[in-house]
Amino acid sequence: MFRIGAHASVAGGVHNAVEEQLEYGGNCGQIFTHSPRVWQEPAIDNDEAERFRERSAESGVGPWVIHSSYLVNLCTPKEGLRQKSIASMQAEVDAAARLGVPYVNVHLGAHTGAGVEGGLDNAASALAELDVPDGVTVLIESDAGSGTKLGGSFEELAGVLERCELDLDVCLDTAHLFAAGYDLSTPEGVDETFAQFDDVVGIEHLEYVHLNDSKHGCGTNKDEHAHIGEGLIGEEGMTAFINHDAVADVPFVLETPTEDGKSFAWNVERVRELHGA
């Protein structure tokens, strides 16, 4: 089954994310367990978790992915931030296990002077400290590659996977890929991008996709999402990506803006239209 959904709110209880997803017309989705802009433990009790699991199963919504806090920086050379990042990630994977969510998504962060190799070493060793419950997988998300942030190249993603003792997989973000220099605006560019990913990382590591168009050009390192088919990746590129054999069984989740009278529901329907094109 084709899986498309959007980021959903857990306001009022995590189970409400399922109802919101159904309103979007989605059948998979992403959540934050708490505000992503503060250091905070997920506050999900057993009753809430059970309701979430039951509603997800009843409505056929899944797989879900938890997006980790924006404050997490796995590449940092600063010990205090490193320990906070590890503790935050441990809380997220534990919450995922309680909720029956199979994936926790995380950005590698910025090396802030440690250098690329040092940053990748830091990220791999930080992730190796996690005690990840059975049934949960940490996904490393591709980045737009600005400043000292890592994960903008397939080589950097592969570098963490190769260094880390933990079994890791990848979430590709189309807007981030485009901003980092992977041209997804044509069918040929999409083919080449997937061929490079398979050669460097391995297509078997691709478990989820953040599907977003881009307001900025290829290689600009500028991360600003656009409605599907209405950014600089465009309809042709988005259609080629959505229908590519490499992602035939991979779930897509939207992080598109709510503007110009267009919401997640509009974008979910747009993706379904392009998938059938």
Side-chain angles (χ1 to χ4, degrees), residues 56-78:
S56 294
E58 290 167 359
S59 57
V61 175
W64 288 91
V65 57
I66 290 173
H67 196 303
S68 64
S69 169
Y70 293 144
L71 300 180
V72 168
N73 186 346
L74 300 172
C75 295
T76 183
K78 300 175 183 177

Side-chain angles (χ1 to χ4, degrees), residues 159-180:
V160 173
L161 268 62
E162 290 164 0
R163 284 168 167 83
C164 191
E165 300 169 7
L166 190 66
D167 288 332
L168 303 168
D169 285 314
V170 172
C171 171
L172 291 179
D173 183 305
T174 51
H176 296 173
L177 286 174
F178 193 64

Side-chain angles (χ1 to χ4, degrees), residues 175 212-215 224-234 238:
N212 303 296
D213 211 324
S214 176
K215 291 186 177 181
E224 192 174 3
H225 300 174
H227 296 301
I228 300 300
E230 298 198 350
L232 293 178
I233 296 176
M238 277 292 171

Side-chain angles (χ1 to χ4, degrees), residues 7-88:
H7 191 98
S9 171
V10 300
V14 65
H15 56 279
N16 288 332
V18 184
E19 310 310 322
E20 186 171 306
Q21 196 62 242
L22 294 172
E23 291 175 8
Y24 297 152
N27 57 10
C28 63
Q30 177 176 270
I31 58 170
F32 293 121
T33 60
H34 57 83
S35 169
R37 302 186 187 280
V38 297
W39 294 113
Q40 183 178 332
E41 291 279 316
I44 301 169
D45 63 32
N46 290 335
D47 288 342
E48 274 189 76
E50 184 177 4
R51 289 180 70 183
F52 176 85
R53 293 194 305 269
E54 288 178 349
R55 284 299 293 134
S56 294
E58 290 167 359
S59 57
V61 175
W64 288 91
V65 57
I66 290 173
H67 196 303
S68 64
S69 169
Y70 293 144
L71 300 180
V72 168
N73 186 346
L74 300 172
C75 295
T76 183
K78 300 175 183 177
E79 187 59 24
L81 179 55
R82 173 186 170 87
Q83 291 306 320
K84 282 186 174 181
S85 297
I86 293 169
S88 179

